[in-house]
C-alpha cells in the first residue's frame, strides 16, 4: 500500500510541475490618455505598457503559446484625469485562441487561457474600454484591436 501511495504522489508531483512549468502568465496593461482620447486618435492615446515607441497599439502583437494565461489590465497614463475601465475581450478574425468569442471584465481585469491555435496563427481581437473624462458624467466606449500570435514554446 505504501509503494502505491508513494507512486501516486510522485506521479502527481511530476504532472503538476510539468503543467505549471509550461504555463506562462502574460500581463498586458493598457495605458490610456484619458484627457485627450477620441474615436479618431486611439493609436496616439492608447498603448501597452511595454510597447515599442515605433509600434501602434493597432499593430501590436503579443506572442503566446498553448496553456498561457493572458491578463489584461488598464490604467490612466501619467498626469491624466478622469476614469478608465475594461469592458471585454472580443474575438475578431483568425482562430479563437480562447475558444470563446467574448471574455467579460471581472474584478478590474480580463483573463483567458490559450487553448487553441497552431504556430504562427494570428488572433485579431478587440478590447473594449470605457473612459469618463474629468468633469463629464458620461462613459464613452472605445475599441482597441491588437493581435495575439502563437509561437512555439522555447
Amino acid at each position: 500500500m505504501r509503494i502505491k501511495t508513494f507512486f501516486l504522489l510522485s506521479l502527481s508531483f511530476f504532472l503538476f510541475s510539468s503543467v505549471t512549468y509550461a504555463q506562462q502568465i502574460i500581463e498586458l496593461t493598457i495605458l490610456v490618455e484619458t484627457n485627450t482620447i477620441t474615436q479618431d486618435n486611439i493609436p496616439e492615446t492608447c498603448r501597452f505598457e511595454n510597447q515599442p515607441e515605433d509600434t501602434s497599439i493597432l499593430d501590436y502583437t503579443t506572442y503566446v503559446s498553448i496553456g498561457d494565461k493572458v491578463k489584461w489590465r488598464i490604467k490612466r497614463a501619467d498626469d491624466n484625469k478622469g476614469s478608465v475601465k475594461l469592458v471585454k475581450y472580443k474575438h475578431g478574425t483568425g482562430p479563437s485562441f480562447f475558444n470563446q468569442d467574448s471574455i467579460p471584465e471581472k474584478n478590474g481585469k480580463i483573463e483567458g487561457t490559450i487553448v487553441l491555435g497552431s504556430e504562427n496563427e494570428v488572433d485579431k481581437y478587440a478590447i473594449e474600454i470605457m473612459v469618463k473624462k474629468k468633469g463629464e458624467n458620461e462613459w464613452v466606449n472605445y475599441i482597441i484591436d491588437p493581435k495575439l500570435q502563437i509561437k512555439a514554446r522555447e
Side-chain angles (χ1 to χ4, degrees):
M1 187 66 157
R2 286 184 186 191
I3 293 173
K4 189 185 283 187
T5 302
F6 176 76
F7 176 75
L8 288 174
L9 286 173
S10 297
L11 181 62
S12 297
F13 176 75
F14 173 74
L15 290 175
F16 178 73
S17 62
S18 295
V19 170
T20 57
Y21 176 76
Q23 181 188 43
Q24 291 185 356
I25 297 175
I26 299 169
E27 296 191 39
L28 299 170
T29 301
I30 301 168
L31 302 173
V32 180
E33 294 179 19
T34 55
N35 293 350
T36 57
I37 190 171
T38 67
Q39 296 292 346
D40 297 323
N41 70 2
I42 290 171
E44 293 81 32
T45 57
C46 298
R47 67 187 178 282
F48 285 105
E49 201 164 48
N50 296 316
Q51 175 181 317
E53 292 276 332
D54 61 344
T55 302
S56 165
I57 196 165
L58 305 178
D59 299 320
Y60 188 74
T61 301
T62 302
Y63 294 94
V64 297
S65 297
I66 300 295
D68 287 352
K69 181 177 270 193
V70 183
K71 295 181 181 184
W72 288 271
R73 291 184 169 79
I74 194 164
K75 64 182 185 179
R76 291 186 318 242
D78 291 341
D79 300 322
N80 277 256
K81 306 293 183 206
S83 300
V84 63
K85 61 184 176 180
L86 292 170
V87 177
K88 67 181 172 182
Y89 156 94
K90 177 96 172 96
H91 171 67
T93 60
S96 177
F97 294 167
F98 301 104
N99 200 25
Q100 52 191 10
D101 285 335
S102 182
I103 304 171
E105 172 276 338
K106 185 176 180 181
N107 299 320
K109 60 189 167 205
I110 299 170
E111 293 184 14
T113 300
I114 305 295
V115 295
L116 296 173
S118 299
E119 190 170 0
N120 295 322
E121 285 185 313
V122 175
D123 178 351
K124 181 81 169 160
Y125 67 97
I127 293 290
E128 183 179 340
I129 67 170
M130 294 181 80
V131 175
K132 183 167 73 169
K133 293 185 178 184
K134 182 181 178 192
E136 296 184 10
N137 296 324
E138 192 174 311
W139 288 93
V140 178
N141 284 51
Y142 298 95
I143 302 293
I144 300 166
D145 58 347
K147 300 173 230 170
L148 297 171
Q149 184 172 348
I150 297 285
K151 67 172 182 162
R153 187 154 325 268
E154 298 172 358

